[in-house]
Amino acid sequence: MNPQKISELLYSLGVGRQYLGHGITLQAVELVLRDENCLLCVKQGIFVPLGQQRGCDWRTIERNIRTVIRRAWKTSPSRLAELAVYPLRREPTVTEFLD
């Protein structure tokens, strides 16, 4: 999946580029697409590398992705459920969202 398609999916969830987490989530999804094993330890596989790349603490990366998830859940829960491969009864975790 190319970055444009990922960006379009985020837009369809109500997450535009005005959210710092838009670009961060895009990069996180690209990491998952390259190596799905990074989902086994999200902190070391995604948060830390992106934090280093962006020059910030890994907690900032996590918080921004959680903000994206919260926005998607609040704005477009039906679209989020459509993209999920299982029923969503609650806001997904970071790992569930990236998966």
Side-chain angles (χ1 to χ4, degrees), residues 40-54:
L40 299 174
C41 184
V42 179
K43 178 183 171 187
Q44 294 302 318
I46 297 173
F47 300 155
V48 171
L50 288 182
Q52 290 171 345
Q53 183 179 350
R54 289 179 164 261

